[in-house]
Amino acid sequence: MEEQLIDIKNAALSLILDAKDKAELEEIKLQFLGRNGTFTLILKDLPKIPKEKRPAVGQLANSVKITISDAIDRQNLKLKTEKPKQQKDVLDVTMPGHKPPLGHHHLITQAISEITAIFEKIGFTRVKYPEVEWDWYAFEGLNFPKDHPARDDWETFFIKQKPDPKKGPVILTPHTSSGQIREMERVKTPPIRMLNIAKCYRRQSDVSHSPMFHQFEGLVVDKNISITHLKGTLDYFVKSYFGANRKSRIRPYHFQFTEPSFEVDVSCGICLGRGCKLCKAGWLEMGGAGMVHPNVLKFGGINSKEYSGFAFGWGVERVLMMKEGIEIDDLRLLYSNNLDFLEQF
Ligand code: DAH
């Protein structure tokens, strides 16, 4: 009888270990420990065993029973916690395919494309000029007197290189206005309708400033260009980019390279000019503009008696944030490559 008990235990254990689910384990339990189970039936022969052997056999029978039911419990637990086995690679060509994740342009790139399209429609040409530039193009040729304190506003990065005797030190362009003289030199005889969109660099870094940012600069030079052309262009841009319900206005300001100079405002998109928490009494500042200073035309080789022009320079990030109404707490988020943020656009 001892041998039979051991056989029963071994048979039960091997079946339990192969069991695939709970139902199968239930069946095994019935098969061995159930009312008509192998184990139960064999126990019925216990009284036939000589008296003195009975306690030992009884003990063995008990431990076999415990071993079997423990094994069933353990296998049950294992099946519950085990991950389903991976299906083998099966290619079912009738199944719909997995969609690959679709990327899109960064929102600054989207804004640059949109701004370019708007100005190209009215005859502007997009140009590209060096980011590492001579002082002459960024300051001197734009009518900044030498060592004028206004240069401090631009907080320029200087490149360690011997200054050029004529063009001065080498710097990183602090504004896209440095493209103005270069464009005059390239075109030589107006008309000029330039759109210069580029990276700019300034020593600044806080929640609303980053050392690298983007500007877009317009320059128009032709005969009889007046402030009305500037105002018309501003209005056209503001309505095309922000929406037909937005307005622009110009306020007197001062820049070295334009005379007269203006600050350009756009009516607030939230309160539509009535005044709210977001804006200054209904208006948001967009950037600078003005009529090209005669000295700048002269430095660019253009006769200021015959030609006049207007210019404007605004921040891409700035107009982007004014448009979307996205309240970004920290501008630097735009450069962080944080997908959770970028995927929203
Ligand atoms: N370059 C100026 C800046 O970075 C902006 C600017 C002002 C550009 C007046 C212009 C202009 O073309 O006419 O702050």
Side-chain angles (χ1 to χ4, degrees):
M1 182 152 177
E2 282 102 321
E3 256 173 47
Q4 277 171 306
L5 280 169
I6 302 287
D7 285 349
I8 287 173
K9 183 182 85 177
N10 290 341
L13 287 184
S14 81
L15 282 176
I16 291 166
L17 287 176
D18 279 347
K20 304 267 179 313
D21 54 33
K22 211 176 161 189
E24 210 176 313
L25 285 169
E26 279 304 316
E27 232 168 77
I28 294 169
K29 196 172 182 177
L30 269 184
Q31 184 187 335
F32 289 94
L33 308 179
R35 203 157 6 120
N36 293 315
T38 344
F39 176 82
T40 321
L41 290 179
I42 208 165
L43 274 197
K44 291 198 170 139
D45 294 338
L46 200 56
K48 292 182 198 153
I49 290 177
K51 233 182 184 175
E52 64 281 8
K53 270 192 167 183
R54 254 182 250 163
V57 177
Q59 229 173 9
L60 176 67
N62 229 355
S63 93
V64 167
K65 190 177 176 185
I66 291 171
T67 307
I68 293 176
S69 50
D70 276 0
I72 289 174
D73 289 347
R74 244 179 288 127
Q75 183 71 0
N76 247 330
L77 195 73
K78 192 175 147 205
L79 289 175
K80 231 191 262 174
T81 48
E82 210 175 47
K83 279 192 196 142
K85 286 220 175 80
Q86 286 272 319
Q87 271 203 347
K88 285 230 178 82
D89 275 346
V90 181
L91 178 64
D92 181 349
V93 291
T94 64
M95 293 283 280
H98 291 295
K99 273 197 185 150
L102 256 193
H104 62 69
H105 280 142
H106 189 279
L107 67 168
I108 293 179
T109 312
Q110 290 177 28
I112 289 175
S113 312
E114 208 178 324
I115 293 164
T116 306
I118 290 172
F119 282 105
E120 277 178 350
K121 257 194 198 162
I122 55 168
F124 281 72
T125 302
R126 172 111 185 252
V127 296
K128 234 176 180 326
Y129 288 122
E131 285 175 27
V132 181
E133 185 56 290
W134 302 107
D135 172 277
W136 166 259
Y137 290 105
F139 292 122
E140 200 82 7
L142 291 179
N143 204 34
F144 283 78
K146 266 200 182 37
D147 302 325
H148 190 280
R151 288 191 184 189
D152 296 345
D153 298 345
W154 271 256
E155 299 173 310
T156 309
F157 287 108
F158 286 82
I159 304 283
K160 261 194 194 162
Q161 193 179 307
K162 245 172 100 185
D164 180 86
K166 285 205 188 91
K167 294 178 172 166
V170 183
I171 58 172
L172 296 183
T173 43
H175 55 176
T176 42
S177 304
S178 57
Q180 291 193 16
I181 301 261
R182 283 206 176 258
E183 181 71 352
M184 292 179 204
E185 288 176 352
R186 183 182 75 87
V187 178
K188 292 191 182 79
T189 331
I192 292 174
R193 286 192 205 97
M194 171 198 87
L195 180 68
N196 179 27
I197 309 186
K199 291 192 175 86
C200 301
Y201 303 85
R202 295 185 196 181
R203 284 191 52 183
Q204 51 181 22
S205 184
D206 59 44
V207 290
S208 56
H209 294 92
S210 120
M212 189 280 290
F213 58 103
H214 301 77
Q215 280 190 341
F216 60 110
E217 181 98 7
L219 173 70
V220 171
V221 181
D222 207 343
K223 287 182 176 150
N224 302 318
I225 293 293
S226 71
I227 295 177
T228 52
H229 295 108
L230 167 62
K231 186 65 170 79
T233 308
L234 297 182
D235 252 354
Y236 161 76
F237 172 74
V238 164
K239 293 200 185 308
S240 313
Y241 186 74
F242 296 106
N245 58 345
R246 308 283 285 271
K247 289 189 217 116
S248 77
R249 78 171 180 192
I250 52 177
R251 280 181 289 117
Y253 203 73
H254 176 73
F255 292 102
Q256 298 290 329
F257 38 99
T258 40
E259 183 57 38
S261 302
F262 309 104
E263 275 266 299
V264 180
D265 295 339
V266 180
S267 60
C268 174
I270 305 287
C271 65
L272 297 177
R274 266 172 264 121
C276 68
K277 274 193 286 183
L278 247 156
C279 58
K280 277 190 194 157
W283 297 91
L284 298 159
E285 275 179 27
M286 193 157 73
M291 302 308 292
V292 183
H293 196 290
N295 284 352
V296 176
L297 290 173
K298 200 174 77 193
F299 291 139
I302 287 172
N303 182 351
S304 62
K305 298 243 156 49
E306 204 180 335
Y307 294 104
S308 55
F310 69 79
F312 56 85
W314 304 322
V316 173
E317 289 81 349
R318 177 161 224 163
V319 296
L320 167 72
M321 283 161 70
M322 279 160 64
K323 177 186 189 170
E324 306 293 344
I326 34 173
E327 278 177 65
I328 301 180
D329 296 336
D330 191 337
L331 176 93
R332 292 167 292 193
L333 195 54
L334 285 172
Y335 311 104
S336 65
N337 283 343
N338 176 341
L339 280 183
D340 287 341
F341 169 70
L342 294 174
E343 277 171 355
Q344 299 172 50
F345 303 97

